[in-house]
Amino acid sequence: MTVSLRVVLDQLVSPTSPDLAEASASLTEALIATAPRGCDVSAIVPAPGIPDETSVTGLSSETRLSMRRRELAASWQLGVAPGIGKGLIHSPTALAPLVRHDRVNDTHQIVVTLWELRAWETPEELPKAEILACRALLARVTKHADAVIVPTHAMADRLGELAKSKLSKKVRVIGGAPAAGMRVPSDAVGRLRALNLPSSFLAVAGGAAPSDGLAAAFSAVVASGWDGDVVVLDVPEGEEPTVADIAAASGLAESRVHGRGALDRWDRAAVLSHAAAFITACGRTDWPWRAVDALAVGVPIVAADTPVHREVLAEAAAYAAPDDLGDALARALGEDAERLRVLAGDRAKGFAWNAAADRVWALHAEL
């Protein structure tokens, strides 16, 4: 008898985050590629189903629910999950049909994944409704999930503090990876032209939220003596003027700052591969998506000295306190540049979706 691992792929239908959509697709492709004998992978998706352009090859079936993602999320948060059925359910995000079930007698498992804890770490930066929804979700996760995947041990420790150790036995650490197949495209120079970007610059990522660390990153640029341009990735729509104001307050002329929104994997690779260095000053315990992308294309990285950065980047970054990154950036641009490039390439080999998929299969077998 074939055992199906049913993956919740809401992000391929109605993405709330480009990173979550990429991670969902990449992990599912890896689960299909690494499926043990007698196992396959199917999908649970909201209406109207997965579009052809984002479909995943190799799915054995697709359970298409009658509700769209927003209504589905509301229903599942209330513990109402009609049409789901039993079996092994894996969610690459926090959205899952978290209901009372019998794992032992019905072979019904529910595993969810948390990539960030912003609702607890920086609630002042989020709408109140989102905070309440996230906290209600954690309560359901604590009660009904059979396992909770987080990408780092640092996040596992933080989650244990927030949940007062109620989740400690359920938490498993399985890291993320760059988008499947991410590499420097052959038309990288053309992509930079299409994005109207210069050929040399420093790269950072984030928006106007204080915890994104742009103020510290811009101050580091000024302190390092870098006199070129700066490209800011992942700027939320409408926050470009605020990002420019943050740069100006740090002493960086607006004309030198180029804000861009979410880019696809090839444009990101093109941009990062042409950066003299990538700076990350974010202090949250989020999985550092762009820093891991930077590893994949061998860019020198300058990072705020946090447990997450130390765990993920290891020796492949120059570290300093968030308010004192200027000297670290100067070294990364000078004497340490080649060493950091080599270390980034070596460290990148430790992050692959196939390896993560193997651990997901092992987790479900353990449960």
Side-chain angles (χ1 to χ4, degrees), residues 43-357:
I44 298 173
V45 298
I50 302 176
D52 290 341
E53 63 270 18
T54 57
S55 62
V56 175
T57 301
L59 289 170
S60 63
S61 64
E62 178 182 309
T63 301
R64 186 178 304 179
L65 304 176
S66 60
M67 291 180 282
R68 293 185 175 272
R69 188 189 184 281
R70 179 178 295 182
E71 292 75 21
L72 186 67
S75 174
W76 285 358
Q77 286 170 6
L78 294 173
V80 180
I84 296 298
K86 300 175 182 178
L88 279 60
I89 298 177
H90 185 90
S91 178
T93 70
L95 183 65
L98 292 163
V99 296
R100 185 187 301 276
H101 61 282
D102 188 338
R103 188 180 84 213
V104 176
N105 296 312
D106 292 338
T107 319
H108 186 30
Q109 303 173 6
I110 304 173
V111 175
V112 300
T113 310
L114 301 179
W115 294 99
E116 49 91 4
L117 300 171
R118 294 189 66 177
W120 295 269
E121 294 185 315
T122 56
E124 68 281 358
E125 296 176 359
L126 299 174
K128 186 175 181 179
E130 184 175 344
I131 296 168
L132 294 175
C134 288
R135 292 181 177 177
L137 172 66
L138 184 59
R140 294 200 67 79
V141 167
T142 302
K143 188 174 183 180
H144 296 301
D146 296 301
V148 181
I149 293 174
V150 296
T152 63
H153 293 279
M155 186 181 289
D157 293 342
R158 184 72 177 116
L159 184 60
E161 295 171 4
L162 295 170
K164 297 180 174 60
S165 300
K166 294 179 181 178
L167 274 174
S168 58
K169 294 183 179 180
K170 295 183 178 182
V171 173
R172 303 291 189 278
V173 177
I174 301 177
M182 185 176 181
R183 62 185 182 278
V184 181
S186 58
D187 60 346
V189 173
R191 288 176 179 270
L192 289 182
R193 290 198 195 101
L195 292 167
N196 194 26
L197 293 176
S199 59
S200 178
F201 47 81
L202 296 177
V204 298
S211 65
D212 284 348
L214 286 190
F218 290 146
S219 295
V221 173
V222 174
S224 72
W226 173 263
D227 58 3
D229 291 356
V230 178
V231 173
V232 187
L233 300 174
D234 301 331
V235 179
E237 185 176 356
E239 291 189 10
E240 295 87 354
T242 308
V243 168
D245 289 343
I246 295 171
S250 302
L252 195 60
E254 181 179 346
S255 60
R256 295 171 58 192
V257 179
H258 308 269
R260 297 295 182 268
L263 304 177
D264 67 27
R265 69 187 70 180
W266 308 118
D267 281 345
R268 290 202 312 273
V271 172
L272 289 170
S273 67
H274 279 72
F278 175 77
I279 311 163
T280 174
C282 179
R284 300 189 303 266
T285 58
D286 302 15
W287 175 253
W289 300 101
R290 293 295 81 76
V292 175
D293 284 348
L295 288 177
V297 295
V299 178
I301 298 174
V302 177
D305 197 348
T306 67
V308 168
H309 288 151
R310 286 282 184 179
E311 181 176 345
V312 175
L313 303 175
E315 299 301 317
Y319 297 99
D323 296 332
D324 194 28
L325 288 168
D327 288 343
L329 177 56
R331 295 195 305 273
L333 293 171
E335 62 193 65
D336 290 345
E338 188 56 34
R339 180 179 65 85
L340 288 173
R341 286 186 184 278
V342 172
L343 290 173
D346 288 343
R347 184 61 177 167
K349 297 174 184 176
F351 301 102
W353 286 113
N354 274 17

